[in-house]
Amino acid sequence: MTKRVGIRTAVSTCAVVLVIVGIEGCSRKPPAPMDGAALFEQKCASCHKVNNDMRAPEPEGLRHMTKATILRALESGRMKWEGKLLSSAKKNAIAEYLGASATEHEKLGGAFCARDLDPPPNPPEWMGWGADLGNTRAQSENSAGLKRDQIKGLKLKWAFGFPGAYATYSQPTSAAGRVFVGSEDGTVYALDAATGCVWWMYKAPATVKTAIAVGNQGDAAFFGDTNGIVYGVKVTDGTLAWQTRPETHAAARITGSPLLIGRRLYVPVSSGEEGSAADASYPCCTFRGSIVALDTLTGKQVWKAYTIEHEAMQTGKSAHGVQHWGPAGAPIWSTPTADLKRHLIYVTTGNNYSPPTTESSDAVIAFDMRNGKRKWSRQLTPGDAWNSGCVAEKKDNCPGKHGNDYDFGAAPILKTLRGGRDILVLAQKSGVVYGIDPDRRGKVLWKRRIGNGGPLGGIEWGGAADDEVAYFPLSDFDFDHPLGGGGLFALNLRTGKEVWHVAPERPACSARFGCSAAQMAPPTLIPGVVFAGSLDGHLRAYDTRDGSILWDFDTSGQFKTSDGVTAHGGSVVGSGPTIVDGRVFINSGYTNAMEGNVLLAFTVE
């Protein structure tokens, strides 16, 4: 699914052991340089070819990444399973062939903020992924600093370019007059919200897809990376306070944003094992999703709860003798939702990677936030066992009776209806939105289909909600039909009935690879206005009364940046707008869509 796109898809490789004897060991003739292009074609191209079904970056996209980024992915990152079958010399040759130079990083030296630049006192905040504990992605008028009649006056204030990046993932957050954002190469930036200058940078060894949570009375920032490591750094200067890897499985990663409540950081754990299964020699599958509560002062684990309660067991062997394991999967791709009234943490889960299937896949699970005890679970799509082996050339790891990859990639939305009744709203890649009752163990109150669904279809990243209406953009992305999919839906929170629906705008860039009418990015809501991005690169503001477009900006162009890095936008996919203190921040560019490496900031002139 889209949120798992990146350098993580399996590559068919062969383990070759060379035993060199005789006088060759004494030869003074230097070894012939390895042909990186030939190695890529032999070892990588089957998955990274143009228009691949693996959701893997294409060659042109890989060439936007730095050599160091590609090498890290092969040695310790998302491609380490494939990389372990390659010698160091071969990994270096592939990185040299594909990777861009790191010279863009050198430009950042002149982008740092002047030390006498003081942030404003006590500005409004946008914290974490969903703006509040219920993940409503709704900002009050006072905190947003924008009104509906001002939206037409939004103008670009500054742009920031991510060096050596091909895509943007991290939802920007804002606190103390700064914007915190992660990047593809693992660098986390603290930027000045007014100017885009750099206060500090922290370099993690792998991509940071999560939003940055700021806590401990504003003294610390927390985030996770795609190596599965969680970090706490000091807000003053970005120095490391602590780090921990809460899950020992080699494929574990943090893609969903940690949720901060007081001194507890609730961290969802997903994995790249679903992609590793594309390699027929991989012993699929043993990972199981989890949520971990950490102490924010020390990083120490308070409790941990798995989505699948029992470890995987051997289930048989493939036709080629590779051991199979199960059950596995049910990762948590999105940020948790907190229910302080009931002392619960809600998470939504993905599909099973391998059989036997479990009741905790494609489900919502409620855990006691104090001790991690499972209180209840509600499955919405049973029997969904799927992995990347189902679209690989060799399908040895694909479950015999497989599902449709209908993960929940969207965080649950918790809202209180008029009259005091609470409702959880769930949106799935199947194209179905559900309203469920948290007081009756997730009993379904209503469901509404808004799309056809699919591995890259339905609702990918989430929605937003006010007191009466939930707003969901539709993906239904199809590589072969860029004019298909898309649209924005407003649903009545109490009944699920459609309030209005607006069709997507026709993409002007439809001839460009990755351009589409599909809308995957989560929307953001302020009173009277809902902002939503699109794979055609546009960020649009819609009137909540009828869906009419109030403002439209094409983010896919080239921009002069505050850090001097060459930058352009692309598809708006991985994160939605952050709106705070009269400013709108949006990332642009995504893997397997229109690439880009820019963060844009808008204000009203």
Side-chain angles (χ1 to χ4, degrees):
M1 58 189 296
T2 306
K3 50 207 160 293
R4 303 193 297 277
V5 172
I7 312 180
R8 67 104 164 114
T9 316
V11 179
S12 298
T13 58
C14 297
V16 179
V17 179
L18 299 178
V19 179
I20 303 175
V21 295
I23 62 168
E24 189 170 332
C26 301
S27 172
R28 295 181 182 178
K29 183 180 179 180
M34 291 192 173
D35 187 339
L39 283 169
F40 177 81
E41 187 64 30
Q42 179 187 2
K43 305 294 186 182
C44 312
S46 62
C47 290
H48 290 278
K49 61 188 178 184
V50 175
N51 292 330
N52 68 80
D53 291 325
M54 305 298 300
R55 311 170 202 168
E58 298 187 356
E60 187 59 33
L62 293 171
R63 292 190 182 98
H64 286 270
M65 302 176 187
T66 65
K67 299 170 186 175
T69 298
I70 293 172
L71 195 57
R72 277 198 307 271
L74 288 167
E75 290 179 337
S76 61
R78 289 169 286 180
M79 299 296 291
K80 59 189 173 186
W81 167 258
E82 294 75 27
K84 76 176 185 178
L85 302 178
L86 297 169
S87 68
S88 294
K90 288 181 178 179
K91 284 182 278 194
N92 274 294
I94 291 172
E96 285 287 337
Y97 164 65
L98 290 172
S101 68
T103 55
E104 291 283 11
H105 289 270
E106 300 170 2
K107 298 180 180 179
L108 288 175
F112 284 90
C113 300
R115 295 297 99 178
D116 59 354
L117 178 63
D118 293 323
N122 303 316
E125 298 179 342
W126 174 292
M127 297 305 295
W129 183 87
D132 57 30
L133 299 182
N135 283 317
T136 64
R137 298 190 60 84
Q139 189 76 297
S140 70
E141 186 175 286
N142 286 338
S143 294
L146 288 174
K147 298 180 180 180
R148 178 164 45 200
D149 59 6
Q150 294 178 296
I151 299 304
K152 291 182 179 180
L154 282 171
K155 303 292 184 183
L156 182 65
K157 179 68 173 179
W158 55 260
F160 179 84
F162 297 102
Y166 170 66
T168 60
Y169 305 98
S170 175
Q171 169 79 48
T173 60
S174 182
R178 299 180 181 182
V179 176
F180 301 88
V181 64
S183 69
E184 188 175 39
D185 77 349
T187 305
V188 172
Y189 298 90
L191 308 176
D192 185 76
T195 67
C197 63
V198 179
W199 281 105
W200 53 255
M201 301 181 297
Y202 176 84
K203 186 67 175 68
T207 299
V208 174
K209 292 189 173 184
T210 73
I212 315 300
V214 178
N216 290 359
Q217 299 179 334
D219 292 335
F222 310 101
F223 53 91
D225 71 12
T226 54
N227 276 350
I229 301 173
V230 184
Y231 304 83
V233 302
K234 296 179 182 179
V235 163
T236 52
D237 58 9
T239 56
L240 181 67
W242 55 259
Q243 70 179 54
T244 184
R245 194 171 192 271
E247 170 55 47
T248 60
H249 196 286
R253 60 176 59 179
I254 312 298
T255 52
S257 301
L259 180 69
L260 179 64
I261 308 175
R263 275 191 56 181
R264 293 289 179 270
L265 189 69
Y266 298 92
V267 182
V269 183
S270 62
S271 86
E273 190 180 38
E274 187 177 48
S276 299
D279 187 338
S281 68
Y282 183 79
C284 178
C285 281
T286 55
F287 172 84
R288 50 185 176 146
S290 63
I291 180 170
V292 184
L294 302 177
D295 184 283
T296 60
L297 293 180
T298 65
K300 292 183 178 180
Q301 180 176 304
V302 179
W303 57 257
K304 180 177 184 178
Y306 285 100
T307 56
I308 299 175
E309 296 182 281
H310 302 289
E311 293 184 1
M313 300 185 298
Q314 295 180 356
T315 58
K317 294 185 177 182
S318 72
H320 296 93
V322 177
Q323 184 66 58
H324 283 170
W325 299 76
I332 305 175
W333 296 110
S334 58
T335 189
T337 297
D339 185 342
L340 299 185
K341 183 191 303 184
R342 299 169 182 83
H343 304 290
L344 295 177
I345 292 288
Y346 304 113
V347 299
T348 50
T349 65
N351 54 274
N352 286 123
Y353 296 166
S354 59
T357 56
T358 64
E359 292 184 353
S360 56
S361 64
D362 293 0
V364 57
I365 306 175
F367 295 101
D368 191 312
M369 64 190 308
R370 296 163 293 193
N371 54 30
K373 182 179 179 180
R374 185 183 304 221
K375 305 300 287 186
W376 56 263
S377 176
R378 176 71 60 175
Q379 186 174 55
L380 283 309
T381 303
D384 189 11
W386 188 93
N387 61 56
S388 291
C390 297
V391 292
E393 292 180 5
K394 296 181 179 180
K395 296 180 168 47
D396 296 43
N397 280 327
C398 182
K401 185 179 180 182
H402 63 82
N404 296 303
D405 188 22
Y406 281 165
D407 305 70
F408 278 100
I413 296 175
L414 178 64
K415 284 297 298 183
T416 300
L417 302 173
R418 296 187 186 277
R421 179 184 179 186
D422 289 337
I423 190 170
L424 271 172
V425 184
L426 315 175
Q428 195 174 4
K429 285 170 54 183
S430 61
V432 179
V433 183
Y434 302 86
I436 68 172
D437 189 342
D439 285 320
R440 291 190 286 173
R441 304 178 66 84
K443 176 181 173 61
V444 176
L445 300 172
W446 54 260
K447 65 179 182 179
R448 176 70 52 183
R449 176 172 291 280
I450 66 171
N452 297 321
L456 292 171
I459 300 90
E460 289 284 316
W461 283 92
D466 55 29
D467 291 338
E468 297 182 353
V469 177
Y471 305 86
F472 289 99
L474 176 67
S475 172
D476 278 5
F477 175 75
D478 186 340
F479 277 113
D480 298 323
H481 300 92
L483 300 183
L488 184 64
F489 292 77
L491 305 180
N492 182 283
L493 273 178
R494 188 177 296 275
T495 65
K497 292 183 178 179
E498 185 178 301
V499 178
W500 52 256
H501 159 230
V502 291
E505 296 292 301
R506 184 181 179 89
C509 57
S510 57
R512 182 178 169 185
F513 175 79
C515 174
S516 170
Q519 295 178 245
M520 297 184 184
T524 297
L525 185 66
I526 66 173
V529 186
V530 58
F531 290 77
S534 171
L535 267 71
D536 69 359
H538 286 253
L539 176 63
R540 299 179 176 95
Y542 301 82
D543 193 314
T544 57
R545 294 172 294 191
D546 56 12
S548 58
I549 295 176
L550 302 172
W551 177 80
D552 187 338
F553 186 90
D554 185 359
T555 72
S556 65
Q558 292 190 340
F559 299 93
K560 181 179 179 181
T561 61
S562 61
D563 55 340
V565 169
T566 302
H568 65 90
S571 296
V572 179
V573 180
S575 64
T578 292
I579 305 177
V580 61
D581 199 22
R583 300 182 178 95
V584 177
F585 304 99
I586 186 71
N587 276 326
S588 181
Y590 202 73
T591 308
N592 262 11
M594 294 195 299
E595 75 277 5
N597 66 325
V598 72
L599 169 65
L600 304 175
F602 301 89
T603 59
V604 174
E605 290 187 351

